[in-house]
Amino acid sequence: MTNKIQASNIQVCMLRRLFIAFVACFLAFGGQNKSYAESSLLKNGLYKSLGIGTGYYYYGEIDMQGKPVMNLDFGLFNVYGNIGYVASGGFKIDFLLDANIALGQYTGGVLDTSDESKDGKRLVSFMTNSFYHGEFKIGYNFLKPFLVERASLYLQGGLGYYFNRTDLLSMDRLQGYLYVPIQLEGEAELSQKWALNYMGGLNAFILGNHLSTSTKWHYSKNLDVLQSEGFGAKAFIGATYKTRDDKINSFRLVYEYWSVEGSPAVAMSDYTGNPLTTKDGKLSGLYEPKNSSHILTLQYIWNF
């Protein structure tokens, strides 16, 4: 149990360190000028951006028999920041961080072993979530050797962390995924005022961790488990344009997908001290079910 709690703390600390690194880079480079013309629609030299967005967040769980356990249907609000540098040789370093607040409808069941008349009953209620992404990537523009000036195509990869928290709940429910993003990202200048932006890639799952402080719901232990199998993907399409006062802004539609296998069950007892059992009397326990997420976000971004 100690090792699992340490793993959870390490992943939370990792997100905090990514945020601190982003702020430090932004402050360090914020006052520097680009080495390329401000009117460029493609990323050149030092680039920085801030954005906001709105969209839809779905999260669903199924049990070991493949039956639905619960799902969330939420609207979301997004804040986004990005800083990076494109060298003259075509290499790129990139760091992004975003924060999301989501709220909407929970559809599932009541978990209350102290009251058999309520336990397992269908429940529809209001709920909120917050979730965050941090990614560090390096890449190379494979169009650079061909002296293509009006387009770019980067093969990029790095390290990412996704952290999710269920809010307005009487117990803490936290989960995080450590992953390697492997992406193709491109830009194509369409005119002097417009450029196309696009990206598609996979998130190679390294490790997931789930923590529910179930002792607050009168169980004998907290549910602190690791999830070792999963898969993710992310893509966006959008445009960058020059405003009337020669500012460079962007908008894009972003889609993200996750599918993570369930965790092992953890044996524990309920508030009476009796071990958890199935309906047919077999010893059981709490576990984090297999889950999937769909996140669709429309972002507007200010580049500077």
Side-chain angles (χ1 to χ4, degrees):
M1 175 65 74
T2 301
N3 291 336
K4 291 177 181 177
I5 293 175
Q6 288 176 344
S8 176
N9 291 336
I10 287 171
Q11 291 190 357
V12 173
C13 288
M14 181 178 296
L15 187 67
R16 290 174 180 170
R17 289 173 181 173
L18 284 171
F19 177 77
I20 292 170
F22 173 80
V23 173
C25 289
F26 193 86
L27 292 176
F29 295 122
Q32 296 187 20
N33 293 324
K34 287 187 177 182
S35 58
Y36 293 82
E38 288 290 337
S39 61
S40 173
L41 295 171
L42 306 186
K43 291 178 179 176
N44 286 306
L46 178 67
Y47 59 89
K48 310 178 293 293
S49 63
L50 292 173
I52 59 173
T54 186
Y56 172 72
Y57 169 60
Y58 171 88
Y59 174 87
E61 295 180 347
I62 58 175
D63 63 20
M64 294 180 179
Q65 288 72 45
K67 297 180 181 179
V69 175
M70 56 82 78
N71 66 268
L72 307 175
D73 290 284
F74 286 175
L76 68 85
F77 174 75
N78 165 267
V79 178
Y80 166 91
N82 181 218
I83 187 170
Y85 186 81
V86 175
S88 58
F91 288 95
K92 178 176 76 167
I93 185 170
D94 184 274
F95 187 83
L96 71 83
L97 183 73
D98 78 351
N100 302 267
I101 297 175
L103 63 162
Q105 179 176 289
Y106 164 88
T107 304
V110 176
L111 180 62
D112 186 359
T113 57
S114 66
D115 189 340
E116 290 187 3
S117 65
K118 293 182 179 179
D119 192 36
K121 296 295 184 181
R122 177 177 168 83
L123 174 67
V124 178
S125 66
F126 175 81
M127 190 174 287
T128 68
N129 257 57
S130 54
F131 57 93
Y132 311 84
H133 300 85
E135 286 186 359
F136 172 78
K137 295 172 290 192
I138 57 175
Y140 178 70
N141 178 11
F142 279 88
L143 299 184
K144 189 69 176 182
F146 302 100
L147 303 179
V148 178
E149 297 181 354
R150 296 187 178 182
S152 64
L153 183 62
Y154 293 93
L155 175 63
Q156 55 195 30
L159 189 65
Y161 187 70
Y162 169 77
F163 178 75
N164 188 302
R165 172 187 172 88
T166 303
D167 304 311
L168 298 182
L169 198 62
S170 56
M171 71 170 179
D172 299 315
R173 186 177 184 278
L174 314 172
Q175 58 191 43
Y177 308 148
L178 184 67
Y179 63 94
V180 174
I182 304 170
Q183 303 170 345
L184 280 174
E185 180 176 352
E187 307 163 292
E189 187 175 302
L190 304 177
S191 70
Q192 292 183 348
K193 291 190 175 182
W194 287 90
L196 177 69
N197 312 123
Y198 57 92
M199 187 277 289
L202 304 178
N203 292 331
F205 191 82
I206 299 176
L207 183 68
N209 179 245
H210 175 93
L211 171 65
S212 289
T213 54
S214 43
T215 53
K216 293 182 178 181
W217 285 8
H218 310 295
Y219 289 93
S220 60
K221 298 178 183 178
N222 290 327
L223 180 63
D224 190 357
V225 290
L226 299 179
Q227 294 166 278
S228 58
E229 297 182 32
F231 170 81
K234 190 173 184 178
F236 70 72
I237 187 166
T240 296
Y241 71 99
K242 186 182 297 184
T243 66
R244 292 179 180 178
D245 55 356
D246 283 339
K247 300 296 184 182
I248 306 295
N249 295 342
S250 304
F251 58 88
R252 65 189 184 187
L253 185 65
V254 186
Y255 173 71
E256 182 178 3
Y257 171 77
W258 285 102
S259 176
V260 179
E261 294 296 321
S263 75
V266 176
M268 61 182 70
S269 56
D270 61 18
Y271 78 105
T272 65
N274 295 319
L276 297 180
T277 59
T278 60
K279 291 183 179 180
D280 56 5
K282 295 180 180 179
L283 287 176
S284 180
L286 290 183
Y287 68 98
E288 172 63 9
K290 179 178 180 179
N291 61 74
S292 61
S293 302
H294 300 269
I295 307 170
L296 188 66
T297 310
L298 181 62
Q299 293 179 322
Y300 189 84
I301 299 168
W302 292 268
N303 302 290
F304 50 94

